[in-house]
Amino acid sequence: MAIDRGILVPVQAPAMTAPASITSVFSAAADTYDAGAEFQRMIAEKLASKIKALPLPAQPKLLEVGCGTGVLTRALADQIPATLKASWTITDIAAPMVARCERALGTALPGARFMVMDGTAPALAPGFDVICSSMALQWFEDPGRAIGRLSALLNRGGHLAFATLGLNTFEEWQAACALSGVAAPTRRFLSAEDFQKATPHGFNFRAEKAVFRRTYANGWEFLRRLRKIGAHRAVPEADPLPAGALRKVLRATDAPFTVSYDVIYGFINR
Ligand SMILES: C[S@@+](CC[C@H](N)C(=O)[O-])C[C@H]1O[C@@H](n2cnc3c(N)ncnc32)[C@H](O)[C@@H]1O
């Protein structure tokens, strides 16, 4: 479905849809996201400068997957010279996120197409020079399969560039769960090697890794920040932790509470 301006390319989407619960948690966070997205902004700015350093053709066709409120979109709009005359397709599975992104960036990116789209089942014809995504792939049902499908939309010489979370993300929270004997639902993050294996034959993959540690006043503050951006439930389709179990985990966290973000920047080149 196209939001406002833009044309929807009539292509049959491959089957694989994200759980409705993922869409609803992020839809609900659209209004608070920007206030809690300090870390996401830092990652997006780093990813945008890595994309800017790629060899881009004139008038590149860009596709963004999982745009949210436009944190990466803005960083790219600031860094990619207007003289390149890029054409933009900006997508997310959550309609309120797309609407917010379009309100924030529609004027800065005249002609950009804003669409609601499930990145795991992209309903677009091939022909992109850059496909990018920041901090969204870890929410996909099967990120490896999705990057295979997205890679297939690249032009020869094109790049898929993403930032996502790797295996050791939030290991301190996992440790607090283990210490308190609570089996909390956990998201299965992929490693750089998993993305390497998922890269289609004939495409090149390279990864850069970085671990960032952030300190919150306590475990509650950590969860409150995650709630603002819609990321407070690791597995939105699973039942939330009962209040008693959650309190047990929070008692097992330190104050201040430092958590690790294990970030993978992945680059696939056709
Ligand atoms: C943590 S936010 C990141 C947003 C933005 N890229 C940023 O860096 O701030 C994750 C985004 O991924 C979107 N998302 C989750 N699953 C998706 C899917 N299957 N297809 C497209 N977008 C998805 C969510 O709706 C949400 O807007």
Side-chain angles (χ1 to χ4, degrees), residues 16-19 22-27 33-34 37 39-41 43-45 47 64-73 91-95 97-98 116-121 132-141 146 163 165 187 229-231:
M16 184 155 77
T17 47
I22 296 261
T23 312
S24 57
V25 284
F26 283 109
S27 295
Y33 188 89
D34 286 338
F39 177 75
Q40 286 68 19
R41 204 163 290 118
I43 297 298
E45 280 164 10
L47 179 61
E64 184 180 355
V65 177
C67 63
T69 56
V71 169
L72 174 64
T73 329
T91 70
D92 195 284
I93 200 165
M97 288 290 196
V98 180
V116 175
M117 188 186 82
D118 181 352
T120 68
C132 58
S133 183
S134 190
M135 302 298 275
L137 277 177
Q138 69 272 12
W139 294 102
F140 287 16
E141 269 300 272
L165 295 174
R187 209 138 200 98
I229 64 162

Side-chain angles (χ1 to χ4, degrees), residues 175-230:
C177 291
L179 197 67
S180 54
V182 170
T186 50
R187 209 138 200 98
R188 203 181 74 79
F189 296 117
L190 297 192
S191 64
E193 291 68 34
D194 293 324
F195 284 111
Q196 165 83 68
K197 281 188 203 133
T199 300
H201 185 69
F203 292 64
N204 298 311
F205 173 78
R206 73 181 166 86
E208 295 172 26
K209 297 192 249 182
V211 176
F212 298 92
R213 294 204 167 77
R214 292 191 83 79
T215 299
Y216 302 89
N218 49 41
W220 280 111
E221 179 58 15
F222 165 60
L223 286 189
R224 203 178 64 80
R225 285 299 189 93
L226 289 185
R227 180 179 288 277
K228 276 197 168 167
I229 64 162

Side-chain angles (χ1 to χ4, degrees), residues 151-172:
S151 300
L153 303 181
L154 287 174
N155 284 335
R156 197 151 294 281
H159 302 272
L160 168 55
F162 60 87
T164 191
L165 295 174
L167 294 181
N168 298 325
T169 297
F170 300 162
E171 58 187 354
E172 301 80 359

